[in-house]
Amino acid sequence: MAAPERFRIIGAMREELRDFVAGLGAPAYRADQILRWVYAAGAPSFEAMTNLPKALRETLAERATLYTTAVAETRRSSDGTAKLLVALADGAAVEAVIIPEDDRRTACISTQVGCAIGCVFCASGIGGLVRDLSAGEIVEEVLQARRSLGEGEALTHLVVMGIGEPLMNYEALVRALRILTAPWGLALGPRRITVSTVGLPATIRRLAGEGLGVNLAVSLHAADDFTRERLVPHARPLGEVVAAARDYLHRTGREVTFECVLVKGVNDSVEDARGLADLVGREAILVNLLPVNPVPGLGWQAPSAARVERFVRELRGRGVRVQVRRRRGADIAGACGQLRRHRCGH
Ligand code: SF4
């Protein structure tokens, strides 16, 4: 007879853990103690949960699982960016990145192994989607990122911009966000979390109704549908995407940004900038520009600094709020060996 499946602590909601603990004959407050050990204290094992009775710790070790992932490799850039290769239990791997900036420590995490979208400039989509991450695996990425911080450092922000399209792994994403923001969980402020999507209008509207209060980044990449489809195969029409993003802004009151990866000769002309200004208008939504990170073999190049500057001037001249995102960890991106490719921005 197959052994009963172990209960996975990381990824469980508080009520589920309470039910599990009750099933072991322990009082409900033991569940809260376990949660404090996992999320507040960062305990690496049941053995470390020293205010639990020894017998309960032993039962937990037999019947439950804490971490199912491990950091297989860490690369640190000269600018302080750290890339973690997070190995999953089935042998697959994803990448999490920690970006330091002044007092901020931002973790950028993945939601899928591979990606079904297949943006032409992105290496993550080359092999298609392998599988979704579970909510527990997504939460573990954040915990692993936090564990890799130095003495006195604290994780302050989270961006869901790693490998995968988060809104195509919706149930796991929402559950993970509830755990990450819960007072009994990681207690991250929702205003410090940004979910990045390539733009799935119906799912953006659904997310607006979840009451999560997280920020949203929507990748447009172009001012017209023809150019956008060159970059993002089967992309939804821009009009629908922008309308859904505005709806998210108005219903949640949270920050929404439009993202645009600039590719030399494709979407970086003054006409493209004018079209983008017409599309996004003069409202409060910030436009983030990110010169493409060239992937060997794909053939796409970043525009020159002068061309990016011209693009920015055109947008600003038309009243659009715009900033150019700095590429972080550039010196380890090309040398990441077995680290999976990661772009921090769709
Ligand atoms: S940029 Fe994002 S949505 Fe596009 S293929 Fe890469 S991971 Fe997928």
Side-chain angles (χ1 to χ4, degrees):
M1 203 171 73
E5 207 174 305
R6 288 166 176 243
F7 182 85
R8 291 175 72 158
I9 305 268
I10 299 173
M13 303 303 285
R14 178 161 66 166
E15 286 312 313
E16 293 165 347
L17 182 59
R18 284 182 169 175
D19 288 348
F20 172 71
V21 163
L24 300 179
Y29 74 87
R30 294 293 185 200
D32 292 337
Q33 285 180 309
I34 294 169
L35 290 170
R36 275 197 293 278
W37 276 112
V38 174
Y39 295 112
S45 65
F46 295 119
E47 194 49 42
M49 302 180 182
T50 48
N51 62 356
L52 300 183
K54 192 164 188 302
L56 179 57
R57 279 185 269 154
E58 286 170 358
T59 307
L60 286 170
E62 280 167 22
R63 306 270 301 273
T65 308
L66 203 53
Y67 283 87
T68 63
T69 66
V71 176
E73 189 180 344
T74 303
R75 297 263 171 163
R76 292 189 193 274
S77 160
S78 55
D79 67 13
T81 302
K83 295 192 174 197
L84 314 179
L85 183 72
V86 180
L88 309 173
D90 63 357
V94 290
E95 203 178 271
V97 177
I98 301 163
I99 306 150
E101 197 161 33
D102 302 325
D103 290 341
R104 278 185 179 215
R105 295 293 177 274
T106 302
C108 177
I109 57 160
S110 303
T111 50
Q112 297 180 306
V113 181
C115 182
I117 301 287
C119 302
V120 297
F121 50 79
C122 172
S124 297
I126 288 174
L129 176 68
V130 178
R131 74 166 173 90
D132 288 333
L133 296 193
S134 68
E137 287 169 328
I138 296 171
V139 174
E140 281 193 43
E141 271 186 90
V142 182
L143 291 169
Q144 298 284 15
R146 188 180 68 172
R147 287 167 90 181
S148 78
L149 292 174
E151 187 77 24
E153 291 184 310
L155 190 65
T156 60
H157 292 75
L158 179 67
V159 290
V160 188
M161 286 190 185
I163 299 164
E165 164 51 56
L167 298 190
M168 289 182 86
N169 186 13
Y170 189 82
E171 303 294 343
L173 171 77
V174 169
R175 174 182 270 253
L177 290 173
R178 294 203 192 288
I179 294 168
L180 293 168
T181 54
W184 52 262
L186 225 72
L188 284 171
R191 288 173 192 271
R192 294 173 170 222
I193 299 176
T194 300
V195 173
S196 171
T197 174
V198 77
L200 309 178
T203 321
I204 289 173
R205 290 178 199 276
R206 187 176 169 199
L207 189 69
E210 296 285 354
L212 286 163
V214 296
N215 304 318
L216 185 72
V218 180
S219 295
L220 300 180
H221 298 328
D224 64 89
D225 285 318
F226 178 77
T227 308
R228 182 164 145 90
E229 274 225 37
R230 260 185 90 187
L231 297 170
V232 185
H234 315 298
R236 299 306 308 271
L238 277 166
E240 284 181 30
V241 174
V242 171
R246 289 197 173 119
D247 182 62
Y248 189 92
L249 174 72
H250 295 132
R251 283 170 66 194
T252 65
R254 291 305 153 98
E255 197 175 290
V256 174
T257 52
F258 288 133
E259 311 281 312
C260 189
V261 166
L262 287 182
V263 184
K264 182 180 175 184
V266 176
N267 62 354
D268 63 339
S269 70
V270 169
E271 291 70 37
D272 289 311
R274 286 181 191 144
L276 195 58
D278 289 343
L279 183 68
V280 304
R282 288 163 176 257
E283 56 185 295
I285 298 181
L286 176 74
V287 174
N288 271 320
L289 301 176
L290 185 71
V292 72
N293 186 8
V295 174
L298 293 187
W300 307 100
Q301 290 177 1
S304 66
R307 210 162 159 85
V308 173
E309 183 50 39
R310 181 77 191 82
F311 198 96
V312 169
R313 266 209 314 278
E314 193 63 33
L315 285 177
R316 289 207 175 121
R318 288 164 185 267
V320 177
R321 287 174 60 223
V322 57
Q323 68 179 15
V324 181
R325 283 228 313 262
R326 198 152 56 95
R327 200 191 306 154
R328 302 294 303 255
D331 56 332
I332 50 175
C336 57
Q338 60 164 330
L339 291 191
R340 292 192 71 99
R341 286 203 164 272
H342 185 106
R343 334 116 290 114
C344 279
H346 287 251

